[in-house]
Amino acid sequence: MEKPISLVRVEDRNGVSHDLEPVEGWRLMEILRDYGMGMDNTCGGALACAECHVLIDPEWVARLPAPREEELEKLDELPLVFDNSRLACQIIWSDEYDGLRLTIAKAV
């Protein structure tokens, strides 16, 4: 029996919703980049740029691993963050996250 496809539901910066098929073990940032969701991710996940700022749906915040100190420090450098702010480069996709909903933060 074939494994069901997992999905991540993304609202882009223009308010358009997309259902993307993620790849197990990839950084969420890589998935968003490869689907053309408007992320250049110049640092490649090294916590140097914070271009991959996303807002996790409040129902999902507690279901993801808590951010590490380095991620929180980089988020603190942004002009506008929220309780559900995360950096997509720090979230490794697992199929247990099937149905995850997020919004790509507006560029400031």
Side-chain angles (χ1 to χ4, degrees), residues 6-102:
S6 62
L7 293 175
V8 58
R9 294 188 164 90
V10 178
E11 183 178 313
D12 66 23
R13 289 184 176 112
N14 296 317
V16 178
S17 293
H18 307 267
D19 284 347
L20 310 180
E21 294 178 23
V23 178
E24 177 88 24
W26 280 32
R27 295 174 186 270
L28 189 53
M29 170 270 296
E30 296 167 319
I31 296 161
L32 297 171
R33 179 198 62 208
D34 287 0
Y35 273 100
M37 295 287 104
M39 290 190 179
D40 292 332
N41 307 306
T42 54
C43 79
L47 283 170
C49 70
E51 289 179 13
C52 62
H53 180 204
V54 295
L55 305 173
I56 303 296
D57 184 278
E59 293 179 17
W60 277 91
V61 171
R63 296 170 68 179
L64 295 175
R68 295 183 332 214
E69 189 62 32
E70 297 87 356
E71 180 180 357
L72 293 172
E73 289 172 5
K74 183 51 72 176
L75 284 167
D76 280 344
E77 295 175 13
L78 295 174
L80 188 59
V81 293
F82 304 92
D83 290 341
N84 59 336
S85 288
R86 292 294 304 268
L87 297 178
C89 68
Q90 298 302 297
I91 300 170
I92 306 298
W93 182 263
S94 168
D95 287 339
E96 69 188 57
Y97 304 151
D98 179 32
L100 171 68
R101 293 182 311 242
L102 64 89

